[in-house]
Amino acid sequence: MRTPGAYVPRLVDGAVRDALNASGAVLLEGPKWCGKTWTGMTHTRSAIWVGDPTGDYLIRRQAVADPFSLLAGEQPVLIDEWQDAPGLWDAVRMAVDRAPGPGQYLLTGSATPRDGVVSHSGTGRIARVRMWPMTMWEADLTGGGVSLGALLDGETPSTITSSWRFSDLAGAILRGGWPGTRGMEFDAAARLPFDYLQSVAYADATAIDGTRRAPARVMALLGSLARNTATVVTNTTLARDMVAVEGEGVSAKTVADYLDVLRRLYVLHEIPAWAPALRSPVRLRSSPKRVFCDPSLAAAGVGATSASLAADRKTLGFLFENLCLRDLLVYAQAIRAGAFYYRDETGLEVDAIIAAGDGRWMGIEVKLTDNGVEPGAESLLRLARKMTAAGQQPPSALVVVTGMDSFAHRRNDGVVVVPIDALEP
């Protein structure tokens, strides 16, 4: 297909190309409005628009009645929003089985259907690639200069002074990384995240599987998650917050169900705890750290504005961490590494761990201003000592990512300080 004229290249493009070269089909999955369709169009030669309303949704009805009849286009074939006709998944899997070869189909999806809708996981036939809203580097909001991949290789960064101020940081959080808002006036762009959460609560949470879910409860949960973004929060705490908003009890089963829906809509992402192979016992915590797919949704969930963030630096700090973690998740995928967090029984916690398959790893602490650099560095050095003593190989780098008033440099203790506007893949 012809590349969309206004398409901005994305980091995920490389992962999509690699997956198409290796697998018969690829699923490009991620939240609504993050750019999956346009990215898919750049890698395919024909398309099936499952959500096209023409002819009373003729394509969708055909996909339900005879999915194989839609797969005859020039390959690779884009199948946009496949989950609206789940039978396409098994049809693609069988088509790849019948005529093996890479790069035949690219499916996009903004929701994961409930278990049992498809008969096979697609393992070995359909590769999965996760997509996110744009990072600050992708959106040209920052100049970069300090490569995450180079840090993981043990390289020393160049000295780069941050040019960011509060207004830059608040704007990046409140607007988010939605491709459709690039170039919009700030007030219009900042409205999208509020509308997005309303759509999730009043439409998507029920439409995903037809199960009625109370919009007020979904909004209450989103608000609680926003207040606790980038933390390890228990379902009990979430339920208590929902009761405070609604005034009536919420069961643990309901909380678990609603959390599952938000994950399946790619609104919520759970960062797993790091579990390195250690030769001596270190008791690690395993509960996931929850973040929104984009910091603008967390900001919308707490009703944040530029004025409120200026007055409440604690909330700004949590939202800034969500911003950094979104970008780190994207950069880690681009350099073929995993993204985790660390927490153990002693209370030692490190915001992010980037780990490669060959054993290389780096620890990252996120701090809003330079005032947090010293305690962040102490935590990172403590982790390095603990891991080395437990038999883990030493870190490739220990990094404190800051929001404002800093410059990229390596401290005398080896810890690297990197302003967020200097970070790139």
Side-chain angles (χ1 to χ4, degrees):
M1 293 180 68
R2 186 165 56 88
T3 299
Y7 182 70
V8 177
R10 305 289 294 273
L11 287 169
V12 78
D13 286 325
V16 172
R17 281 191 295 269
D18 290 346
L20 283 171
N21 287 333
S23 300
V26 175
L27 170 62
L28 182 60
E29 54 188 345
K32 285 185 176 181
W33 232 50
C34 72
K36 297 184 301 299
T37 299
W38 276 43
T39 293
M41 290 170 63
T42 70
H43 296 276
T44 51
R45 294 176 178 168
S46 62
I48 301 166
W49 308 105
V50 180
D52 185 349
T54 303
D56 190 23
Y57 292 93
L58 176 62
I59 293 177
R60 183 184 300 172
R61 289 187 286 116
Q62 183 178 349
V64 172
D66 185 8
F68 286 100
S69 66
L70 294 173
L71 303 184
E74 184 180 5
Q75 295 180 345
V77 180
L78 172 65
I79 304 175
D80 192 52
E81 298 295 355
W82 75 272
Q83 76 279 350
D84 290 344
L88 285 165
W89 179 275
D90 287 326
V92 166
R93 177 184 61 82
M94 291 189 66
V96 172
D97 276 346
R98 293 170 179 173
Q104 300 181 47
Y105 304 99
L106 174 59
L107 300 86
T108 70
S110 55
T112 302
R114 65 184 184 276
D115 292 341
V117 171
V118 297
S119 63
H120 193 283
S121 66
T123 302
R125 290 86 159 181
I126 305 176
R128 293 174 179 264
V129 176
R130 177 66 187 266
M131 189 167 180
W132 299 76
M134 300 179 87
T135 66
M136 292 184 293
W137 185 77
E138 287 177 295
D140 258 346
L141 297 176
T142 60
V146 178
S147 164
L148 187 74
L151 290 172
L152 190 59
D153 288 337
E155 296 182 16
T156 298
S158 302
T159 299
I160 300 174
T161 301
S162 173
S163 60
W164 268 37
R165 297 296 178 262
F166 170 78
S167 58
D168 300 311
L169 184 57
I173 290 171
L174 294 170
R175 294 180 63 139
W178 310 105
T181 65
R182 295 181 78 243
M184 274 189 186
E185 291 293 331
F186 176 76
D187 289 343
R191 176 66 199 180
L192 169 70
F194 293 93
D195 295 339
Y196 198 113
L197 294 187
Q198 291 282 319
S199 178
V200 168
Y202 286 87
D204 299 338
T206 291
I208 189 171
D209 58 10
T211 300
R212 172 67 179 169
R213 294 180 176 90
R217 285 190 171 183
V218 178
M219 288 300 296
L221 176 58
L222 288 166
S224 179
L225 289 166
R227 289 187 293 275
N228 293 283
T229 190
T231 67
V232 180
V233 59
T234 66
N235 287 9
T236 301
T237 297
L238 296 173
R240 186 167 57 247
D241 284 357
M242 293 170 71
V243 170
V245 172
E246 283 211 289
E248 59 182 61
V250 179
S251 70
K253 182 179 180 181
T254 296
V255 174
D257 172 66
Y258 283 27
L259 287 171
D260 181 59
V261 166
L262 296 178
R263 285 190 295 266
R264 287 161 56 197
L265 290 170
Y266 305 106
V267 170
L268 188 68
H269 181 73
E270 294 186 339
I271 299 176
W274 188 43
L278 301 174
R279 291 195 293 269
S280 64
V282 175
R283 286 184 292 172
L284 305 175
R285 305 294 175 137
S286 59
S287 299
K289 176 188 286 190
R290 298 186 177 106
V291 295
F292 282 84
C293 68
D294 192 83
S296 65
L297 298 183
V302 296
T305 63
S306 293
S308 69
L309 292 181
D312 184 355
R313 292 301 174 95
K314 182 177 181 181
T315 297
L316 177 60
F318 284 123
L319 297 178
F320 174 62
E321 184 173 342
N322 199 149
L323 173 75
C324 293
L325 290 173
R326 178 204 63 191
D327 285 11
L328 288 169
L329 285 160
V330 177
Y331 298 161
Q333 177 174 277
I335 63 173
R336 299 185 179 183
F340 310 88
Y341 85 99
Y342 178 90
R343 191 183 188 190
D344 62 29
E345 84 286 357
T346 70
L348 175 59
E349 184 170 355
V350 170
D351 295 327
I353 302 291
I354 306 300
D358 58 7
R360 289 174 300 142
W361 67 278
M362 59 190 294
I364 299 176
E365 277 280 86
V366 176
K367 300 298 179 182
L368 182 61
T369 67
D370 280 356
N371 292 334
V373 170
E374 196 60 42
E378 290 176 3
S379 294
L380 290 167
L381 293 167
R382 182 180 166 195
L383 173 66
R385 291 192 295 268
K386 192 164 193 172
M387 288 296 102
T388 303
Q392 180 71 21
Q393 74 178 58
S396 299
L398 300 172
V399 181
V400 179
V401 176
T402 63
M404 298 178 290
D405 306 320
S406 190
F407 62 98
H409 64 285
R410 185 184 296 274
R411 292 163 35 115
N412 291 335
D413 57 15
V415 174
V416 176
V417 179
V418 181
I420 187 61
D421 59 321
L423 192 62
E424 64 175 65

